[in-house]
Amino acid sequence: SGRKGDEMSTKTCPICQRISPRSAVKCDCGFDFETGHATVLGPSGIGGWLILVAIGLCVQPITLTASLVEVASVLRTEAWDAITTPGDPDYHPVLGPFIIGEVVFNSIFVMWSIGLLYFFFAKKRILPGMMITFMVVNLAVVVIDLLMAQTIPAVAGQVSSNDLREMFRPGISALIWIPYFLRSKRVRATFVH
């Protein structure tokens, strides 16, 4: 109709549901609005570096659940009574809440990792953002966890070089995978649903 309002309106891609200006010929996912066909923009599908991501996502719920069980086991032992009873030599006012916080965050991360696994294999458009957020939050929690552990004398004495390496692993992972999820053509062409 040539009206100015029509030029400013939008259209939704039937493939990835992204909203584009009415004047757009192609969507970022490769769908051609004029022909109604999707063209693949570069490599797509779970291949290349995404295979490493797939392996990591399959293993992650298992390792996180094992960590959760290990931390939660403290809640059912005499050790829990000792660290939460004022006057006991192992007591510290922060230790009980610290362990409960560990259980809560590990539980959240287990559920989050299962969600990531689903979104990954369902090729959902939300996955890259969720992965990036997961990596940032995981790194923040690991750093805060280590810093809090240093304030508790009984725990600070048990912090080893392995624990320090555990802090660097999510940092290095974030440095590698966040740019990949932001810039990869394969990621853009794969996670479109």
Side-chain angles (χ1 to χ4, degrees):
S1 64
R3 291 181 299 181
K4 189 172 185 177
D6 288 342
E7 293 172 11
M8 299 304 289
S9 62
T10 59
K11 54 187 167 186
T12 303
C13 175
I15 303 291
C16 69
Q17 307 304 315
R18 288 189 180 122
I19 297 173
S20 300
R22 174 83 44 209
S23 61
V25 176
K26 282 191 175 184
C27 178
D28 289 341
C29 75
F31 180 77
D32 189 319
F33 290 109
E34 293 177 356
T35 65
H37 292 86
T39 56
V40 177
L41 301 175
S44 69
I46 299 171
W49 291 104
L50 282 180
I51 292 174
L52 295 176
V53 176
I55 293 168
L57 285 175
C58 288
V59 171
Q60 197 165 40
I62 298 165
T63 58
L64 288 170
T65 300
S67 177
L68 174 62
V69 169
E70 182 182 335
V71 173
S73 68
V74 174
L75 300 175
R76 293 173 286 170
T77 64
E78 294 171 6
W80 178 252
D81 293 333
I83 62 177
T84 57
T85 304
D88 194 285
D90 293 328
Y91 173 76
H92 190 277
V94 177
L95 195 50
F98 177 75
I99 292 172
I100 290 173
E102 289 272 320
V103 170
V104 168
F105 276 107
N106 280 340
S107 299
I108 291 169
F109 283 135
V110 166
M111 291 183 290
W112 197 341
S113 68
I114 292 168
L116 288 173
L117 196 58
Y118 166 74
F119 289 127
F120 182 84
F121 286 108
K123 299 178 183 172
K124 296 292 186 181
R125 189 177 58 168
I126 193 172
L127 178 90
M130 286 185 67
M131 283 291 294
I132 290 168
T133 305
F134 181 84
M135 287 184 273
V136 170
V137 171
N138 185 36
L139 177 60
V141 168
V142 167
V143 170
I144 291 168
D145 187 42
L146 194 58
L147 292 174
M148 282 192 64
Q150 294 298 318
T151 66
I152 304 167
V155 177
Q158 297 175 4
V159 173
S160 66
S161 59
N162 282 345
D163 295 320
L164 295 175
R165 267 188 250 127
E166 287 297 314
M167 182 178 75
F168 289 111
R169 192 169 45 153
I172 291 168
S173 179
L175 284 174
I176 293 168
W177 293 111
I178 290 175
Y180 175 75
F181 275 98
L182 289 173
R183 296 183 181 164
S184 169
K185 289 180 182 177
R186 181 180 293 275
V187 167
R188 240 175 286 134
T190 301
F191 302 103
V192 296
H193 300 295

